[in-house]
Amino acid sequence: MGREAGETGRRTGLKDVARLAGVSVKTVSNVVNGYVHVAPATRARVEEAVAELNYRPNPSARSLRGGRSGIIALAVPDLRIPYFAELAGLVVAAAEERSLTVLIDQTGGERERELRVASGLRAHLIDGLIFSPLAFGPEDLAARSDDTPLVLLGERVQPGSADHVAVDNVAAAREATAHLIGLGRRRVAAIGARHDAGGETARLRLLGHRQALTEAGLPVHAGLVAAVDDYLRADGARAMARLLDSPEPPDAVFCGNDLLALGALRTLYERGVDVPGQVAVAGFDDIDDGRYGTPSLTTVAPDKRRIADEAVGLLTARLSGATAGPAREVRVGHELVLRESTLGRAR
Amino acid sequence: MGREAGETGRRTGLKDVARLAGVSVKTVSNVVNGYVHVAPATRARVEEAVAELNYRPNPSARSLRGGRSGIIALAVPDLRIPYFAELAGLVVAAAEERSLTVLIDQTGGERERELRVASGLRAHLIDGLIFSPLAFGPEDLAARSDDTPLVLLGERVQPGSADHVAVDNVAAAREATAHLIGLGRRRVAAIGARHDAGGETARLRLLGHRQALTEAGLPVHAGLVAAVDDYLRADGARAMARLLDSPEPPDAVFCGNDLLALGALRTLYERGVDVPGQVAVAGFDDIDDGRYGTPSLTTVAPDKRRIADEAVGLLTARLSGATAGPAREVRVGHELVLRESTLGRAR
């Protein structure tokens, strides 16, 4: 049975634990908050004292004092999409520079799980959330009652409603398709139209694609826009096969992300179609896979490192209380990286 | 100012909160434990009552009652390695079937972060941990004082010291190299030797490779074993270049994982070397990238779905108290998947 100071009218505090364990209050705090750099023997002594005194940290006092768990969460749809896996690594690194631990939550892009994440997946465990939603929309954000600081990534955001980091998808996609047109291609297809809730990024990228066609005076053929269910390699491979089987196949393809483009390259390889000789291919994301593709992949490179830095920076500004004002909007740059899938192979 | 039942000698309980909020104790428990399926208005009413009464859940009572957070952690070295990203997705799915949420921790394979994870990265937040360590070794496991249930993945484990799920790396690698030898290749190189703490899996795979050579009566040339710093595409690309530049270049290469193999394929493509005509290539992991490679990649496919299921199953057995006995060892099957990088292209 543990003694409990509360029974004598006073609540057990850090000091009581520290006295019994024979360590400083700071050390007790470190153990209770789960920080590293506590010698195992010391940790054991403190844990014994905590059990003996039945000490319970006071969560409300802790948050009033600005106490933090030191943990932030990053919620992304799917880690099999290397863009999110690479982003996760960069967020972990950016958070580490600020002594924060990142726990990653994979939502599958499903609305119910995204709602759970945003409504404070254990608000008492995490200090803040960086969230890349697919199904979670502006109305969900408006209805959110949890006040855990939140930074949104991507497109499912109304300006001013939350701290937000994004790239200019329309401009970036326009540049990619303009590059394909600049190679002399006239039947420039797009792979990646979506009809589901996750379609906002897809919509913006296809909009940029169409803008480039229109600016070049080219018609927008509905038959040259391939819809997909998801943004994985298999979807790109199937969509490319459909485009090749159409009466007037394309001579270039802009793909909504690199995985779609890598799937398309696979189909072109299987069919013996020369890339870029017969069909030039461009993607979006600049993932490592595309850099090592055979051929290597021309793609839009969003500044992922800056996305991660800005997201963690916006969040820590909220956490430290340095920012209490309205939502901030950060637009991160991008670059069109030209490689073999449009330029051909250097020999 | 909140009223506090504790001031009158009794600690505020779930019942007090339930009475004030006008809901059931179960509903309060659901809100306090962060579960879903609580209507926003109800949640708000409970949260107001919690604040009003300054209610603090009693963590020790909670764990004595077998109360759980419903969260498990998965700690992996690097999500940019698609094997771990795919495994994470499968663990999330397997956990979901058991109504558990998974938070993912990326350790970078660094010993300090792995120690922090294993010593109960907030033991009060998570019910259990599935851990794929690189640097964390048997001695660290023996020194572990935290008693959060733990399932280890991979090779850094002494039998009997923890619940453990792994594939037979030696046998799997032996089969891959035996397949290359079976194609008539006689200079079968290996890419993936490591000299760092993360070398246990690498060591076992290279051991299997050497066993296959020896069984076939082939010499083991030190010049045909390429060391790498990491297991990423860039490492495979550089190692392949070194092997091609050696006095007697290989006619086949077994790679310690698929990323190394994809890097090697890139170098072979750049050098204009025919795959598999001049050099056949095999990898390990069966990641999606390899399936869509050009050429597609022959590889060892560990049963990742079963690894995830077994890991979550072992953990939940511990959590439910169904298992309290000694550590269990699960060996998961694998399969050699033959594709174009060794068989050539179907025409």
Side-chain angles (χ1 to χ4, degrees):
Chain A
M1 299 290 280
R3 281 175 285 151
E4 187 168 4
E7 285 164 12
T8 65
R10 190 176 60 79
R11 192 179 160 78
T12 303
L14 286 177
K15 277 186 203 168
D16 304 300
V17 177
R19 196 160 37 222
L20 183 60
V23 300
S24 71
V25 167
K26 177 72 187 149
T27 299
V28 175
S29 167
N30 283 345
V31 171
V32 167
N33 287 303
Y35 296 134
V36 233
H37 300 310
V38 180
T42 309
R43 183 182 295 276
R45 220 156 64 227
V46 171
E47 283 167 354
E48 275 165 31
V50 164
E52 166 79 4
L53 294 173
N54 195 18
Y55 167 71
R56 296 179 291 263
N58 182 337
S60 53
R62 186 159 145 261
S63 70
L64 285 174
R65 281 199 312 270
R68 301 286 173 193
S69 70
I71 301 182
I72 63 174
L74 169 69
V76 297
D78 190 343
L79 290 167
R80 290 173 308 165
I81 296 183
Y83 174 80
F84 291 116
E86 292 184 11
L87 187 66
L90 294 167
V91 167
V92 167
E96 204 158 54
E97 284 172 17
R98 295 163 174 93
S99 302
L100 291 169
T101 297
V102 180
L103 291 176
I104 300 158
D105 190 43
Q106 176 173 281
T107 63
E110 289 158 26
R111 186 148 180 279
E112 187 188 314
R113 295 186 58 184
E114 294 195 340
L115 281 170
R116 183 173 42 169
V117 163
S119 72
L121 160 118
R122 334 268 145 172
H124 51 299
L125 310 192
I126 61 161
D127 297 341
L129 172 66
I130 298 172
F131 183 22
S132 178
L134 269 187
F136 181 90
E139 63 292 347
D140 298 315
L141 183 62
R144 180 173 184 258
S145 65
D146 183 64
D147 60 357
T148 308
L150 172 73
V151 174
L152 286 172
L153 306 180
E155 306 312 316
R156 297 280 293 155
V157 188
Q158 268 171 347
S161 58
D163 288 349
H164 178 221
V165 184
V167 295
D168 188 340
N169 281 292
V170 178
R174 194 169 57 225
E175 288 165 33
T177 294
H179 163 64
L180 296 170
I181 296 167
L183 298 172
R185 308 300 162 111
R186 288 300 172 263
R187 295 187 54 77
V188 183
I191 294 178
R194 289 181 80 153
H195 306 301
D196 59 359
E200 191 58 18
T201 302
R203 198 184 65 74
L204 296 174
R205 292 182 185 173
L206 290 189
L207 176 61
H209 166 77
R210 280 199 307 278
Q211 285 183 356
L213 293 176
T214 305
E215 281 167 14
L218 293 173
V220 179
H221 293 292
L224 286 179
V225 177
V228 293
D229 292 326
D230 211 334
Y231 260 47
L232 301 174
R233 290 179 189 83
D235 304 282
R238 282 192 295 265
M240 190 72 237
R242 289 200 308 277
L243 289 170
L244 290 177
D245 291 338
S246 67
E248 291 189 87
D251 54 15
V253 190
F254 165 69
C255 300
N257 77 354
D258 283 356
L259 288 189
L260 292 175
L262 290 165
L265 287 178
R266 173 71 206 173
T267 296
L268 292 164
Y269 174 87
E270 284 173 8
R271 301 283 189 100
V273 177
D274 183 61
V275 177
Q278 295 170 269
V279 178
V281 178
F284 202 116
D285 281 349
D286 192 28
I287 61 175
D288 205 41
D289 320 35
R291 253 167 264 159
Y292 287 86
T294 54
S296 58
L297 185 61
T298 290
T299 189
V300 171
D303 190 342
K304 289 189 283 264
R305 188 171 301 277
R306 225 192 114 210
I307 292 173
D309 279 344
E310 292 283 356
V312 175
L314 287 173
L315 198 57
T316 47
R318 294 280 178 198
L319 295 180
S320 69
T323 314
R328 286 153 306 160
E329 189 76 22
V330 176
R331 185 68 79 171
V332 165
H334 62 267
E335 186 188 357
L336 184 64
V337 182
L338 304 182
R339 299 205 186 97
E340 295 163 352
S341 69
T342 62
L343 297 184
R345 200 165 145 186
R347 276 164 217 274
Chain B
M1 297 293 279
R3 282 176 284 148
E4 186 169 3
E7 285 163 12
T8 66
R10 191 176 61 79
R11 193 180 158 79
T12 303
L14 285 177
K15 276 187 201 168
D16 304 299
V17 177
R19 196 159 38 221
L20 183 61
V23 299
S24 70
V25 167
K26 176 74 187 146
T27 300
V28 175
S29 168
N30 284 344
V31 170
V32 167
N33 288 304
Y35 296 136
V36 230
H37 300 310
V38 181
T42 308
R43 184 183 294 277
R45 219 156 64 228
V46 171
E47 283 168 353
E48 275 166 32
V50 164
E52 167 77 5
L53 294 173
N54 196 19
Y55 167 72
R56 297 179 290 262
N58 181 336
S60 53
R62 185 160 146 259
S63 70
L64 285 175
R65 281 199 313 269
R68 299 288 172 192
S69 69
I71 301 182
I72 62 174
L74 169 69
V76 296
D78 189 343
L79 290 166
R80 290 174 309 165
I81 296 183
Y83 174 79
F84 292 116
E86 292 184 10
L87 186 66
L90 293 167
V91 167
V92 167
E96 205 158 51
E97 284 172 17
R98 295 164 172 93
S99 302
L100 292 169
T101 298
V102 180
L103 292 176
I104 300 156
D105 190 39
Q106 177 174 281
T107 62
E110 289 158 25
R111 184 144 183 279
E112 188 187 316
R113 296 186 59 185
E114 294 194 339
L115 282 172
R116 182 173 43 172
V117 163
S119 72
L121 161 119
R122 333 268 149 177
H124 50 300
L125 310 189
I126 61 161
D127 297 340
L129 172 66
I130 298 172
F131 182 21
S132 178
L134 270 188
F136 180 90
E139 63 294 347
D140 298 315
L141 182 62
R144 180 172 184 256
S145 64
D146 184 63
D147 61 356
T148 308
L150 172 74
V151 174
L152 287 173
L153 306 180
E155 307 313 316
R156 296 281 291 155
V157 188
Q158 267 169 348
S161 58
D163 287 350
H164 179 222
V165 183
V167 295
D168 188 340
N169 281 292
V170 178
R174 193 171 54 224
E175 288 165 33
T177 293
H179 163 64
L180 296 170
I181 297 167
L183 298 173
R185 308 301 162 112
R186 289 298 171 264
R187 294 188 55 77
V188 183
I191 294 178
R194 289 181 81 153
H195 306 299
D196 59 357
E200 191 58 18
T201 302
R203 196 184 65 75
L204 295 173
R205 292 182 184 172
L206 290 189
L207 175 61
H209 166 76
R210 278 199 309 276
Q211 285 184 356
L213 293 176
T214 305
E215 282 166 15
L218 293 174
V220 179
H221 292 292
L224 286 178
V225 176
V228 293
D229 292 326
D230 210 336
Y231 260 47
L232 301 173
R233 289 179 189 81
D235 303 283
R238 281 192 295 264
M240 190 72 237
R242 288 200 309 275
L243 289 171
L244 290 176
D245 292 338
S246 66
E248 291 189 87
D251 53 15
V253 189
F254 164 69
C255 300
N257 78 353
D258 282 357
L259 288 189
L260 292 175
L262 290 164
L265 286 178
R266 173 70 206 173
T267 295
L268 293 164
Y269 174 87
E270 282 173 8
R271 302 282 189 101
V273 176
D274 183 61
V275 176
Q278 295 170 268
V279 178
V281 178
F284 202 116
D285 281 351
D286 191 29
I287 61 175
D288 205 41
D289 319 36
R291 254 167 263 162
Y292 287 86
T294 54
S296 57
L297 185 62
T298 289
T299 188
V300 171
D303 190 343
K304 290 189 282 263
R305 188 172 303 278
R306 225 192 114 210
I307 292 172
D309 280 344
E310 293 284 356
V312 176
L314 288 174
L315 198 57
T316 48
R318 294 280 178 198
L319 295 180
S320 69
T323 315
R328 286 154 307 160
E329 189 75 23
V330 176
R331 184 68 78 171
V332 165
H334 63 266
E335 186 188 358
L336 183 64
V337 182
L338 304 182
R339 299 206 188 96
E340 294 163 353
S341 67
T342 60
L343 296 184
R345 203 166 143 186
R347 276 163 216 275

